[in-house]
Amino acid sequence: MKTETYEVQIGKLLEQLTLEEKIGMIHGAGLFRTEGVERLSIPPLFFSDGPMGVRAEFADNEWRNTGTTDDFVSYLPCNSAVASTWNRELAGEEGRVLGEEARGRGKDMILAPGINIKRSPFCGRNFEYMSEDPYLISELVVPMVKGIQQSDVAACVKHFAANSQETERLWVDTKVSPQTLEEIYFPGFRAAVQKGGVHAVMGAYNLLNGEHCCTSKKLLNGTLRRDWGFDGVVVSDWGGVHDTREAAEAAIDVEMEVTYDFDQQYMAEPLLKMVRSGEISEALIDEKVRNILRLMFRLHMIGEKRETRKTGTYNSREHQDTVLKIARESVVLLKNEEECLPLDAKKVKRVAVIGQNAAAIHSNGGGSAEIKALYEISPLLGIKKLLGGNVKVEYAPGYYIPGKEAQGSVNWQADSTKKDWGKTSEEAEVSDETKECRKRFREEAVALAKECDTVIFVGGLNHDFDSEGYDRTTLTLPYEQDALIGELLAVRPDTVIVLYAGSPVAMPWNEQAKAVLWSYYAGMEGGTAIAEILFGKENPSGRLAESFPKDANDCPAHTIGTFAKKDVVEYKEGVMVGYRYYDTVDTPLYYGFGHGLSYSRFVYKYMTVRPVTASAETGGTMDAPRYELAVTVKNDSLRAGKEVVQVYVAPKERQDDRPAHKLCAFEKMELMPGEEKTVTLLLTAAAFSVYDEKQHAFAEKMGSYEIEAGSSSRDIRLRWEREHFLSHPGR
């Protein structure tokens, strides 16, 4: 007997469902679940945040933790850390671990990954996102999604779309041109859908060109469903729906909320009444339920393969090893003058570790990214573990952080969708007591630094600043850290600076520092990775996935993009985001996109470029190959290391509103001492295409181009050009 297709079985289930049962399936019946239909063996859908691990268990109808010792999980590197590995395989491994842990905790959908563009360094959720570059995001989100979904768990990419700030987060209307959307803000989501096969998409809180994203017909019915062919489930962000009719007519399938009156959600009783009265067609509800049932078949929640659904696991030793592997490749060595690093563990006898972030725990903050980590290795612990008992490691906090008042038992999310939510995060007015404490902490730290043979400062941001619901207002490090760093460098010029943060910070002391190491929130083994790199047990191979500007006023989001009024922001910079702008106008930066040093030295020797003919299947698509590059690199050092070969395409005929170049290919390669290796990369039609608003499609632009290969967007080692270089070889 031939097995019935999903669609046939879905049709039969729809015929048996009552209207009330259908309505129960399309809105929250608990804070993180929908309603099932027990008589038809249709289970509820269980959701969980988030991007850095499966969140703690909450009560069904109250923001109160209910887990005891059973909901501790692995704390994974944040998406910014994953992006800084520039490693597709590791992105897939991060996804695999996240999917296995979500399924192990009994979840059906993990609300990850976050892939919004890092448009401004001020966005409080930047640590949850990957990069300022849409191509890099697209290349990493696909393996991450596939990794998650190996475990019969749905990945849910978020937040769709153009969601780049927390200020006025539910009510800000982002005005973005079609070309900018297609070239900058859509590619990651499009790749997740069409190449990653993602099962779910979360709508964003903000409005896009006048429509709330969660109920936008243009965005959901048009772009996502019609243009990209998405047939999975669209979930609202919690509290992102504001109108019953809009929700019914838009291609959103599940409404979720932060409040507890589930029956009064827009897609609950109000929708039921409108269907019964004939104001809204039941066919619209059927389509939403159809998408949900299709998801359940795909996850083996229902149907013949229900007994084969994967069980998952969490807190396995293998997961911890994988987290460490990712953390090691995420750390970025920004500066290393006079070969200050690596430190020699055999020569140090007394080490001063200074700075609150040396001992801080970050897993339990950041908003919905917070998790209940099984453990977290701080840099201080990592250093002490590595050096052992023969080296005296002494800690001083260095800078003072005033205590916070207890927030009580009510979770912040209960208030997070109110009109005045979504603010800026600033330091409170400094009291005389705080001033005195900071002075004393600084004096103690500097005194310790004078006494020790090695000084390591660990500072940066924390989740008071990198957090959902808040945006920063300045690049300046909080808690007067710059003053402390300046004093440490004055007495110990070889002080090693280590910074933890989710997005760029100002470094006014950068010229004086000899060694600067950067880490995003790198998970439960982040401190181990930091220690291993500091003392040379590991060779740093992370590369920045965003530019580090010296002044926020240089950022195009702030110099060109404008607030027309309090709740309207115009993305006037268009496609000139991040390095596309900075490199075009030659803006002074601390460090450019793609930058990262190694303890090895890599020499770029040759590049050859040859045209290739696309196959009949791909000839007319953006993925059609146009040129094959062979780049030869040599490790001209005595140490094995990893280099990221980055390829940029630069049009010779420049236009004011177009970037000087853009990333179009990359590959991470490992080379042994003295080894010479050639890596092959493909440039597709997308490398030579722009979005034509009149044609409503991408079009290849014929003309002269320069192909650049290098170690960052500002460290181009090889160039290849041809006077009449055409993007249509063989035509």
Side-chain angles (χ1 to χ4, degrees):
M1 178 179 174
K2 186 176 180 180
T3 303
E4 291 180 329
T5 65
Y6 289 171
E7 300 306 322
V8 171
Q9 295 177 69
I10 289 169
K12 290 182 176 180
L13 285 171
L14 274 171
E15 291 176 358
Q16 299 176 69
L17 286 165
T18 66
L19 175 60
E20 289 78 6
E21 289 170 336
K22 295 173 188 175
I23 293 292
M25 291 176 63
I26 65 173
H27 71 87
L31 288 175
F32 285 99
R33 71 170 179 89
T34 59
E35 194 68 80
V37 182
E38 188 174 355
R39 70 181 184 86
L40 296 177
S41 298
I42 299 173
L45 274 175
F46 285 94
F47 310 87
S48 180
D49 293 311
M52 298 166 71
V54 189
R55 205 169 175 191
E57 291 297 330
F58 285 91
D60 205 38
N61 59 353
E62 184 181 0
W63 286 105
R64 174 176 54 83
N65 294 138
T66 58
T68 55
T69 58
D70 58 329
D71 57 349
F72 288 98
V73 294
S74 299
Y75 171 35
L76 279 66
C78 69
N79 283 343
S80 295
V82 174
S84 66
T85 70
W86 287 63
N87 189 320
R88 297 175 181 86
E89 181 182 349
L90 289 184
E93 287 291 280
E94 169 108 353
R96 179 185 60 80
V97 171
L98 186 55
E100 288 181 2
E101 298 230 342
R103 186 79 282 276
R105 285 273 305 278
K107 309 304 178 185
D108 305 308
M109 185 183 297
I110 188 76
L111 307 178
I115 58 171
N116 291 109
I117 291 290
K118 288 191 168 190
R119 175 177 179 259
S120 163
F122 289 163
C123 178
R125 298 187 81 169
N126 271 345
F127 72 99
E128 294 187 50
Y129 305 144
M130 289 184 174
S131 175
E132 68 187 23
D133 182 71
Y135 175 76
L136 181 58
I137 293 171
S138 299
E139 290 295 298
L140 297 179
V141 70
V142 170
M144 186 177 289
V145 164
K146 290 182 177 180
I148 290 171
Q149 294 183 171
Q150 288 176 10
S151 294
D152 293 337
V153 170
C156 182
V157 289
K158 62 185 187 181
H159 307 89
F160 190 55
N163 181 259
S164 299
Q165 68 182 63
E166 291 298 284
T167 305
E168 295 290 335
R169 65 184 191 149
L170 270 75
W171 304 103
V172 65
D173 188 1
T174 56
K175 303 293 187 180
V176 194
S177 73
Q179 182 183 57
T180 302
L181 287 171
E182 294 288 348
E183 293 190 25
I184 302 295
Y185 296 96
F186 282 173
F189 290 97
R190 185 167 57 236
V193 170
Q194 296 184 334
K195 297 180 181 179
V198 73
H199 292 328
V201 173
M202 179 186 287
Y205 276 137
N206 57 286
L207 293 86
L208 178 60
N209 296 324
E211 291 184 321
H212 263 109
C213 290
C214 285
T215 51
S216 167
K217 290 182 184 178
K218 187 172 183 180
L219 189 62
L220 303 181
N221 304 44
T223 300
L224 184 61
R225 299 284 191 191
R226 182 195 64 221
D227 298 347
W228 299 351
F230 180 67
D231 65 354
V233 168
V234 176
V235 182
S236 79
D237 205 340
W238 271 231
V241 173
H242 304 278
D243 182 87
T244 296
R245 181 177 293 280
E246 287 180 2
E249 295 178 351
I252 183 171
D253 304 307
V254 180
E255 176 193 4
M256 298 301 293
E257 254 289 359
V258 297
T259 56
Y260 316 141
D261 197 355
F262 305 113
D263 289 339
Q264 294 309 308
Q265 291 178 16
Y266 293 99
M267 288 171 61
E269 286 291 335
L271 179 56
L272 179 63
K273 291 177 181 177
M274 293 181 77
V275 174
R276 281 176 173 164
S277 68
E279 296 176 71
I280 290 175
S281 169
E282 187 172 347
L284 295 174
I285 313 305
D286 287 348
E287 190 58 33
K288 300 177 191 300
V289 174
R290 185 182 301 277
N291 291 331
I292 293 169
L293 291 173
R294 185 181 298 115
L295 173 68
M296 289 182 171
F297 274 109
R298 286 172 171 164
L299 300 182
H300 303 143
M301 297 173 65
I302 57 178
E304 297 173 350
K305 295 185 178 180
R306 187 172 183 173
E307 298 302 319
T308 69
R309 192 179 190 193
K310 293 179 180 176
T311 58
T313 188
Y314 57 112
N315 292 325
S316 72
R317 182 60 55 87
E318 188 273 331
H319 287 179
Q320 295 156 15
D321 292 342
T322 300
V323 166
L324 176 56
K325 185 166 62 173
I326 298 167
R328 284 169 174 157
E329 291 201 22
S330 75
V331 178
V332 184
L333 179 59
L334 296 178
K335 188 175 183 181
N336 193 24
E337 291 183 352
E338 301 175 15
E339 295 186 349
C340 190
L341 292 175
L343 301 169
D344 190 339
K346 295 180 180 179
K347 293 182 179 179
V348 299
K349 296 300 178 185
R350 189 178 178 194
V351 179
V353 179
I354 296 168
Q356 293 272 11
N357 266 358
I361 297 298
H362 297 289
S363 54
N364 57 359
S368 59
E370 67 190 15
I371 66 161
K372 191 174 172 181
L374 181 65
Y375 67 85
E376 181 179 348
I377 305 296
S378 68
L380 179 61
L381 176 55
I383 291 168
K384 285 194 169 187
K385 283 199 311 169
L386 186 146
L387 293 177
N390 291 338
V391 178
K392 188 173 184 180
V393 179
E394 298 180 62
Y395 168 69
Y399 55 91
Y400 175 71
I401 303 176
K404 281 188 165 184
E405 294 182 7
Q407 294 182 355
S409 60
V410 178
N411 191 286
W412 60 270
Q413 287 190 233
D415 295 321
S416 67
T417 58
K418 292 181 178 178
K419 178 66 177 176
D420 61 348
W421 238 80
K423 307 175 183 178
T424 54
S425 100
E426 303 177 58
E427 279 197 83
E429 185 176 344
V430 179
S431 66
D432 290 340
E433 180 183 1
T434 295
K435 291 178 182 177
E436 180 59 34
C437 286
R438 286 183 176 166
K439 180 175 180 291
R440 176 166 53 84
F441 275 34
R442 250 195 328 266
E443 290 173 348
E444 291 173 353
V446 172
L448 177 62
K450 292 178 180 178
E451 298 172 359
C452 296
D453 56 60
T454 302
V455 180
I456 302 168
F457 171 81
V458 187
L461 302 178
N462 55 31
H463 287 309
D464 289 346
F465 295 87
D466 284 321
S467 180
E468 178 176 359
Y470 297 95
D471 289 326
R472 287 193 286 156
T473 58
T474 176
L475 293 179
T476 302
L477 286 171
Y479 318 124
E480 299 179 14
Q481 291 179 70
D482 291 330
L484 170 60
I485 294 172
E487 291 190 30
L488 290 174
L489 289 171
V491 300
R492 290 299 303 267
D494 60 348
T495 296
V496 177
I497 309 298
V498 180
L499 295 179
Y500 264 85
S503 54
V505 298
M507 305 178 189
W509 35 262
N510 189 59
E511 291 297 319
Q512 288 71 48
K514 288 183 170 63
V516 183
L517 199 65
W518 178 271
S519 177
Y520 293 99
Y521 303 107
M524 62 204 304
E525 290 285 354
T528 303
I530 289 286
E532 290 177 339
I533 288 172
L534 286 172
F535 289 92
K537 301 295 183 183
E538 289 290 326
N539 195 347
S541 67
R543 302 291 185 268
L544 293 180
E546 60 185 319
S547 308
F548 276 36
K550 290 185 175 182
D551 189 329
N553 290 325
D554 292 332
C555 176
H558 304 291
T559 59
I560 305 174
T562 61
F563 272 94
K565 55 182 182 178
K566 180 183 178 183
D567 54 359
V568 177
V569 60
E570 298 181 354
Y571 287 21
K572 288 185 177 180
E573 73 276 11
V575 301
M576 303 291 276
V577 176
Y579 74 90
R580 296 172 185 234
Y581 173 79
Y582 298 129
D583 293 356
T584 300
V585 302
D586 199 24
T587 304
L589 301 172
Y590 286 120
Y591 301 101
F593 176 79
H595 172 77
L597 304 178
S598 169
Y599 296 148
S600 304
R601 179 174 177 267
F602 300 104
V603 178
Y604 283 62
K605 302 193 71 175
Y606 319 105
M607 175 168 62
T608 61
V609 180
R610 71 174 186 88
V612 294
T613 303
S615 67
E617 292 77 19
T618 64
T621 70
M622 293 282 286
D623 294 326
R626 292 289 180 250
Y627 289 87
E628 182 182 271
L629 283 64
V631 181
T632 301
V633 180
K634 181 179 181 180
N635 181 352
D636 191 22
S637 71
L638 299 176
R639 178 159 188 160
K642 296 178 180 179
E643 172 67 342
V644 179
V645 176
Q646 303 167 37
V647 176
Y648 298 82
V649 169
K652 300 294 287 183
E653 299 171 4
R654 290 286 309 283
Q655 299 177 28
D656 291 340
D657 60 347
R658 300 300 303 175
H661 61 180
K662 64 179 181 180
L663 180 72
C664 294
F666 69 89
E667 194 65 49
K668 195 165 194 175
M669 58 196 301
E670 183 172 14
L671 295 100
M672 295 299 107
E675 182 181 11
E676 186 172 295
K677 187 181 290 186
T678 299
V679 62
T680 301
L681 308 101
L682 283 178
L683 290 181
T684 66
F688 309 98
S689 300
V690 298
Y691 187 79
D692 188 323
E693 292 188 357
K694 293 181 180 179
Q695 299 296 322
H696 304 290
F698 280 90
E700 290 183 74
K701 289 186 68 106
M702 300 181 69
S704 298
Y705 292 86
E706 185 175 71
I707 296 178
E708 307 167 335
S711 195
S712 81
S713 73
R714 293 200 166 187
D715 184 10
I716 303 301
R717 309 286 184 88
L718 300 170
R719 286 181 167 85
W720 189 94
E721 62 179 297
R722 198 165 133 189
E723 187 176 352
H724 299 293
F725 180 73
L726 303 179
S727 67
H728 294 274
R731 292 190 179 182

